[in-house]
Amino acid sequence: MIDLLIPTVAQGLLWALMAIGVYLTFRVLDVADLSVEGTFPLGAAVAATALSADMGIFAAFVLATIAGALAGVVTGLLTTKLKIPALLAGILTMIGLYSVNLHVMGKANVSLLRVDTVFTFFTDSLGMNDDIATLVVGLIAVLAVGFFLYWFFGTEIGTSLRATGFNPQMARAQGINTDTMVVLGLLISNALVALTGAFVAQANGFADVGMGVGTIVIGLASVIIGEVLFGSRSFKNCLISVILGSIVYRLVIALVLQMGMPPNDLKLFTAVLVAIALSLPLIRSKIAERKARA
């Protein structure tokens, strides 16, 4: 059981960064952003290309994060300046990034099997095995991002961003430039998603142009599962819930695979799981109404 638990939790921590990015747009900004399916492989492509060119681990992460942030800005400008609906703007960015990712890598995939990554530092220098190294790296990354976001959203800019998602009319009445806040929120969200792509590419040992398919569903599953199981009473609680939701989602997937589900059915299973989780509040309210009538 331990052999299954440690790598599953490690993967859950790595993907939690992406889930946080989805949470920022889906819950905080109240925007359905599909560009994450393009920015995830973008981060992987940029990081893998940088590492293959011996630019170093730090440069790979920085460049991947900047690339994701720029993609988020593109989506934000399409939405705010050109008045394209956010859903369609995200789709346009996602489609455009497919070609960008091919140009970045120069081909459909880049291998990292003989390249030093952030994980090889822990395995070679500290003597950890691959699973423990992934767990440690994921934990460090989640704690660093979590503390930063908790601090940032307590600042004036952060509260303005939250106000924009909660009530845009009220935010504008308070003198907040809501267009700027939307662009900023998409920038942060897609930067986190691209950063996740950089981590996952190094953990998997390759970057592939098609590795972003289904990313939005995985992120939504983590967010919804976390909210249903652990609540959403405050912003700090929401961050923790999303992280734990990502871990729970990975545990569920691992258990389902152990029970013999074909890997080809995982996307369908995830879609059904998200649909059930989204319908739970309605089911609970119906049950409460029937109890009240009884």
Side-chain angles (χ1 to χ4, degrees):
M1 185 65 181
I2 298 297
D3 293 338
L4 175 67
L5 186 62
I6 293 178
T8 303
V9 172
Q11 286 293 318
L13 288 172
L14 286 184
W15 284 83
L17 297 178
M18 187 273 297
I20 293 173
V22 172
Y23 165 78
L24 292 180
T25 53
F26 184 63
R27 288 302 193 207
V28 176
L29 272 184
D30 194 23
V31 171
D33 179 28
L34 290 183
S35 61
V36 297
E37 298 216 354
T39 50
F40 180 82
L42 174 65
V46 171
T49 303
L51 288 171
S52 299
D54 293 327
M55 297 178 67
I57 297 172
F58 179 76
F61 281 120
V62 171
L63 291 174
T65 304
I66 292 174
L70 292 175
V73 169
V74 171
T75 304
L77 292 177
L78 289 174
T79 302
T80 58
K81 300 304 180 184
L82 299 183
K83 304 303 178 184
I84 298 175
L87 187 63
L88 182 55
I91 293 173
L92 292 174
T93 303
M94 175 186 67
I95 294 172
L97 286 176
Y98 184 87
S99 297
V100 172
N101 294 336
L102 286 174
H103 282 293
V104 169
M105 293 187 290
K107 49 188 175 180
N109 56 70
V110 173
S111 175
L112 295 174
L113 293 180
R114 297 182 179 179
V115 178
D116 289 335
T117 66
V118 65
F119 301 102
T120 55
F121 169 78
F122 287 88
T123 55
D124 295 344
S125 302
L126 303 180
M128 299 179 180
N129 61 39
D130 292 337
D131 293 335
I132 297 297
T134 305
L135 181 67
V136 171
V137 171
L139 185 60
I140 293 172
V142 164
L143 288 176
V145 170
F147 280 120
F148 170 77
L149 290 178
Y150 182 68
W151 166 81
F152 174 77
F153 279 95
T155 64
E156 184 176 351
I157 296 177
T159 51
S160 297
L161 201 157
R162 293 165 66 183
T164 298
F166 181 74
N167 192 327
Q169 290 80 15
M170 182 193 71
R172 282 192 290 268
Q174 297 297 320
I176 298 173
N177 189 326
T178 55
D179 286 352
T180 301
M181 291 299 107
V182 169
V183 173
L184 177 61
L186 289 168
L187 181 154
I188 297 173
S189 171
N190 284 278
L192 288 176
V193 173
L195 180 62
T196 307
F199 275 114
V200 172
Q202 293 178 66
N204 292 344
F206 68 92
D208 186 85
V209 71
M211 65 190 299
V213 177
T215 301
I216 185 65
V217 178
I218 295 172
L220 286 175
S222 302
V223 172
I224 301 302
I225 291 172
E227 290 179 343
V228 169
L229 295 181
F230 306 106
S232 54
R233 293 178 297 274
S234 64
F235 184 74
K236 178 177 70 174
N237 181 244
C238 287
L239 288 177
I240 296 173
S241 295
V242 171
I243 295 168
L244 294 178
S246 177
I247 295 173
V248 170
Y249 169 76
R250 287 291 157 185
L251 288 172
V252 171
I253 294 297
L255 289 174
V256 168
L257 289 175
Q258 284 285 103
M259 293 169 61
M261 173 177 281
N264 292 339
D265 294 337
L266 278 180
K267 300 295 184 184
L268 176 61
F269 175 78
T270 301
V272 173
L273 186 65
V274 172
I276 293 173
L278 285 170
S279 63
L280 279 179
L282 177 62
I283 296 173
R284 286 177 177 176
S285 65
K286 294 294 183 182
I287 294 174
E289 287 178 6
R290 289 186 178 181
K291 288 183 178 179
R293 291 174 183 174

